[in-house]
Structures are given as structure tokens and as C-alpha cells.
């Protein structure tokens, strides 16, 4: 099985400018994803898909490949992850290279280590009928008891669960936003979705995940990362 790590890192992040190369515990945050992919030993190629020359330069410094720059179409706000992955695979095909599997590894996935990538690769091989494997994390409060605020008043999203005991409610999960192992053959199915019935979850804890969309998120991620580093120190 030939695998490629694709790290999508466009330059035009809006909510946190230059997020993908902003210093995180002393190094550009994309460094952690590149190092994890290289150290995992499971990839024939570790590449960064970017439209930005500075990001490309940093990626190459860290040992990743940037064989081509991303097109304007796949760099816009409306481009999806699958759009980016498809473009990368098409560009490699034109260079005469094909891959059986890919791992889309987000540039802000600082908590992802090489062990997690190796485990994801192994899980995809084990799950014969699966198109994708990805980490998910449980919501820390039952979504069945979620609330709307409408016209200044509270309204339950699921009124029928108003008196249910929280321990009796089914656990729910969300995408950890770190990586996706995908069979390239699955991408040829127009119905394929990363968060779909062909995907297998790997449940991870909240301490090793953090979406980074705001400055508050960034501060929380740095705090969690620092705590984990201290726990791992002898």
C-alpha cells in the first residue's frame, strides 16, 4: 500500500491570520504535522498543499515536499477538503505518480503524533469495507439537552428529552479535526463523504484535541499542549 500525507495549508486564513505558520510553543504550528508524518514511517511522500510561498518555504525547511502550488480555485473560501485532495491527486497523476491511500493531516494538528498516524493506517487496512478512518471526540454535554435562544427565550432542541437522565442519553461525537486516512478508490464514488457511513471512528480524548478558530481556541490549545508536555516529562 502506497500512501501520501497531504497537509492542506493555504495562506489566506481569515479568523487567525497566518494561522498555519504562527509560532506554537516556539515553532510554526505546521511543523508538528510535518514531523509526525515523517516520523511515522508510513508515507511514500509527505507533501504540503499551499498557495503561499512562505508556507512552502517553511514546509520544505521541515522536510516536506511542495512539488506544486495550489490553484486559485482550491484556495478560496468555498473549496472543500475533498476539492483540495482531488486536485493534489490529479497533479501527482500528471507527474506519473499514483497512491493507494492518503492521509489528510491538518496543519494545526499539533497534538497528533506519529503513533496516531501509524494506528490510523493500520485501522484502515483492517476495516476492509471502510473508505475512511478519522478521530472523533465525545461532546462533553449531551446534545439531546441542547438549547436554542429564540426571541430572548430558551427552547429545547429536543423537548422530548427534557426529563431524561443524562446518563441514559446516547453519547454523541464530533470530528476531532486532526486527520483523515482515506482509500483513494473511495474518492471515485460521488456519494463518498468523510463524515459518512463508510467512515470508521477512532475515539480520542478531549485533552488531545482542540479546534483552533479563534484567539481563545489558540490559547486553549497552547495550554493543553503545555500540560501534556509536562505530563510526559520524566
Amino acid at each position: 500500500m502506497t500512501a501520501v500525507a497531504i497537509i492542506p495549508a493555504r495562506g489566506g486564513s481569515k479568523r487567525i491570520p497566518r494561522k498555519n505558520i504562527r509560532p506554537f510553543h516556539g515553532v510554526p504550528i505546521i511543523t508538528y504535522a510535518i514531523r509526525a508524518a515523517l516520523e511515522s514511517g508510513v508515507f511514500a511522500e509527505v507533501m504540503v498543499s499551499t498557495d503561499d510561498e512562505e508556507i512552502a518555504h517553511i514546509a520544505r525547511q521541515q522536510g516536506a515536499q511542495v512539488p506544486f502550488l495550489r490553484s486559485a480555485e482550491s484556495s478560496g473560501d468555498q473549496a472543500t477538503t475533498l476539492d483540495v485532495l482531488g486536485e493534489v491527486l490529479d497533479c501527482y497523476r500528471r507527474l506519473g505518480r499514483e497512491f493507494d491511500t492518503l492521509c489528510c493531516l491538518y496543519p494545526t494538528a499539533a497534538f497528533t503524533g506519529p503513533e496516531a498516524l501509524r494506528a490510523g493506517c493500520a485501522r484502515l487496512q483492517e476495516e476492509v469495507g471502510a473508505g475512511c478512518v478519522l478521530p472523533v471526540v465525545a461532546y462533553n454535554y449531551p446534545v439531546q439537552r441542547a438549547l436554542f435562544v429564540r426571541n430572548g427565550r430558551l427552547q429545547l432542541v429536543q423537548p422530548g428529552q427534557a426529563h431524561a437522565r443524562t446518563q441514559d442519553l446516547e453519547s454523541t461525537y464530533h470530528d476531532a479535526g486532526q486527520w483523515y486516512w482515506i482509500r483513494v478508490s473511495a474518492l471515485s464514488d460521488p456519494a463518498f463523504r468523510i463524515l459518512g457511513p463508510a467512515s470508521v471512528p477512532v475515539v480520542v480524548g478531549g485533552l488531545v484535541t482542540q479546534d483552533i478558530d479563534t484567539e481563545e481556541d489558540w490559547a486553549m490549545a497552547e495550554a493543553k499542549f503545555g500540560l501534556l508536555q509536562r505530563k510526559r516529562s520524566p
Side-chain angles (χ1 to χ4, degrees):
M1 184 177 70
T2 307
V4 57
I6 301 173
I7 302 172
R10 67 177 185 143
S13 52
K14 297 291 193 299
R15 288 172 288 189
I16 303 179
R18 312 300 289 165
K19 174 175 74 171
N20 293 324
I21 53 173
R22 178 170 168 171
F24 184 90
H25 280 264
V27 298
I29 194 167
I30 195 173
T31 301
Y32 297 97
I34 294 172
R35 288 177 181 172
L38 291 171
E39 291 172 13
S40 72
V42 295
F43 298 108
E45 181 105 318
V46 175
M47 70 87 65
V48 170
S49 170
T50 187
D51 59 335
D52 187 279
E53 290 288 358
E54 184 182 11
I55 293 176
H57 176 70
I58 290 172
R60 292 185 180 110
Q61 280 186 322
Q62 297 299 326
Q65 304 299 312
V66 188
F68 37 79
L69 291 179
R70 195 188 296 190
S71 70
E73 291 76 18
S74 66
S75 301
D77 293 338
Q78 303 306 312
T80 67
T81 296
L82 291 181
D83 291 335
V84 174
L85 300 181
E87 179 180 84
V88 168
L89 293 174
D90 286 343
C91 288
Y92 271 116
R93 289 188 189 105
R94 287 196 287 272
L95 295 174
R97 299 192 67 183
E98 299 268 0
F99 301 95
D100 301 309
T101 59
L102 67 86
C103 182
C104 175
L105 176 60
Y106 284 145
T108 54
F111 296 92
T112 296
E115 302 85 1
L117 297 177
R118 286 194 289 267
C121 178
R123 185 69 181 274
L124 186 63
Q125 293 181 60
E126 294 166 2
E127 298 282 348
V128 178
C132 178
V133 172
L134 70 151
V136 298
V137 60
Y139 283 99
N140 60 11
Y141 188 82
V143 298
Q144 297 91 334
R145 301 286 291 277
L147 302 166
F148 291 123
V149 177
R150 291 180 173 166
N151 300 318
R153 299 290 188 271
L154 293 178
Q155 178 180 324
L156 279 163
V157 173
Q158 296 186 25
Q161 303 294 345
H163 303 294
R165 300 187 307 167
T166 56
Q167 62 264 39
D168 294 333
L169 297 172
E170 184 178 2
S171 295
T172 56
Y173 302 85
H174 62 88
D175 179 1
Q178 295 179 333
W179 51 264
Y180 313 110
W181 269 100
I182 301 173
R183 295 186 198 277
V184 171
S185 59
L187 297 176
S188 62
D189 181 356
F192 174 77
R193 298 292 183 272
I194 289 174
L195 302 181
S199 295
V200 174
V202 176
V203 179
V204 297
L207 186 58
V208 294
T209 63
Q210 179 64 49
D211 279 341
I212 303 180
D213 293 321
T214 66
E215 290 293 342
E216 183 176 307
D217 293 339
W218 189 280
M220 182 65 73
E222 288 201 307
K224 286 183 178 181
F225 192 88
L227 177 59
L228 288 169
Q229 294 297 97
R230 290 192 295 274
K231 282 187 172 185
R232 291 167 182 162
S233 297

